[in-house]
Amino acid sequence: MATTRESNAHRHRSGAVLPMILTTVLVLLLAAAVVFLGSQEPLARALAAGRAKELPAGVTITAVHTPGDPDDVANMETNPVGAAGDLEARTGEYPVKPDSLLPVAEEWVAGRIAAFSGGADGAGAGADDAAHLELGWSPILRAGPYLGVDLTSTVTPEPGETTHQSVYADVTSGGAWSAPGDLFTGTAAERVAALVRTAANQPEFGDRPHPSAAEARVLARVAMAAAQLRPEGLVLPLDGDRALLLEAEPAADYLTEAGNSILAAAVAGTGFAGIPAPPPPPGRPAGPDRLTFPVRVDCSSASCVALTFDDGPGPHTGRLLDILAEHDAPATFFLLGEQTRKRPELVRRMAEEGHVVGNHTWGHPDLATLEPREIDRQIATAADEIATAGAPRPVLLRPPYGSLSDSARDRIAAAGDATVLWDVDTLDWKTRDTKKTVAAALTDARRGSIILMHDIHEPTVDAVADIITGLREEGYTLVGVPDLFGGTMNKGGIYRDGR
């Protein structure tokens, strides 16, 4: 009997111990899980946010904002990108004011051109003769001392998508900040990626596939590079026409001190300080730093426009001269030395018929990529060849592609030349379409415009008669480039229009 009681007691103690052991094990496992998850807090938080059904307070999905018009930015100056080699495969322009914006914009443009060209192996989109790279910009913020611009890059026909890069500059202190590196904190990328995954759960996101964690990180990087600091808050464009909008308070945790300062000015709606106006041009008296030309038309009273032609003389230049003579219309030609050697009689005829003859270098290289000695050679050999052909030695120079560097500017000035760019690009080399060339010239021309065309293309020459007629019907007077500036230009000066 005693043995039976002892046996029952033993079984009772054993039955009580087992739940205690299981409970202890469970507690230890839970504790380990807490420690592990605590050590993985950023990842756990990001994953949790990605699975969340609702966006955090102050974060919504909105439409992508349309950037502003570049012409609305007073005193802005731009550099044209021009074409790339014989393919003439890149065009557009980028902002160069305020001065702090210039190196940032130039670095970005160089990177996009390098990606297009494909580097040393030439494997980029530019390897396709039909490919074209278009670079551009638009203002996205003007508030207080801050100017924000959206730099854009589009490759056509494939892939046809536009890459965006936001840059902000202080027009008073000279600072400049690029997104995302200068504007976002180090932890922002993972948090934005989590917001992207959460946004994909919302009906406003549409029928787009839900991004994986890796895809969300890519979308986050693209959105942050295109970040817009606006009166509404921080706008992060997503693919398509949707964007994340973070109001100022939640946005503050994502932004650096510089980013928050810019956002504060945007939200406050502070009036834009503006890009400082350039100093007034120096007086007109001739001197050692002046170039003087005969004045044929007083453009201070007439609405003058200058037609300019690059890359010749070519096989169609003779017919172009016939058209200009028939319409009694002057033009300015920027000639290549190597082409001048092939057709010197056309150069002589240009001069005899009263056209302005300028220099376009010997072989059409990108001067911004050359050493100073080679820049000098390109300028001098072309000028010598043009003078040998029977035209006055040129003192106006148009750099190929409109591409300039500090070194190129210095060497052009040292040669005693003035640089002539343009403000109306007909894109005739790209379209090779007579009607489109006529439309571009007539639509974009304004008083003082310098219109860019290429007489090496037959459709361009076909367009010239209608351009002359159309411009005159609109009240414009056709002149050579020097007339736009009263017959006096500065050595080393850079001229884009006569306004």
Side-chain angles (χ1 to χ4, degrees), residues 118-195:
D121 60 3
D128 180 356
D129 286 5
H132 175 249
L133 173 66
E134 178 72 21
L135 300 176
W137 73 280
S138 298
I140 52 178
L141 175 69
R142 284 171 289 167
Y146 299 113
L147 170 68
V149 299
D150 173 28
L151 303 176
T152 59
S153 165
T154 306
V155 176
T156 54
E158 296 294 341
E161 297 178 353
T162 298
T163 299
H164 296 265
Q165 173 63 61
S166 295
V167 181
Y168 295 82
D170 187 326
V171 299
T172 58
S173 72
W177 302 270
S178 294
D182 297 330
L183 299 179
F184 288 88
T185 65
T187 61
E190 195 69 28
R191 299 171 65 195
V192 171
L195 289 178

Side-chain angles (χ1 to χ4, degrees), residues 305-309 324 329-334 398 441 449-453 464 467-468 471 478-481 484:
V305 171
L307 302 181
T308 67
F309 299 91
L324 294 172
T332 302
F333 291 87
F334 292 96
R398 174 169 285 167
S449 281
I450 299 175
I451 301 175
L452 170 65
M453 292 180 281
V464 170
I467 291 173
I468 293 171
L471 289 172
L478 300 180
V479 297
V481 166
L484 295 176

Side-chain angles (χ1 to χ4, degrees), residues 13 30 91 114 133 165 174 239 254 330-331 356 365 379 384 387 471 488 492:
R13 287 194 300 269
L30 289 173
T91 57
L133 173 66
Q165 173 63 61
D239 60 335
Y254 292 74
V356 179
I379 296 172
D384 291 344
L471 289 172
T488 302

Side-chain angles (χ1 to χ4, degrees), residues 275-286:
I275 298 173
R284 292 295 187 182

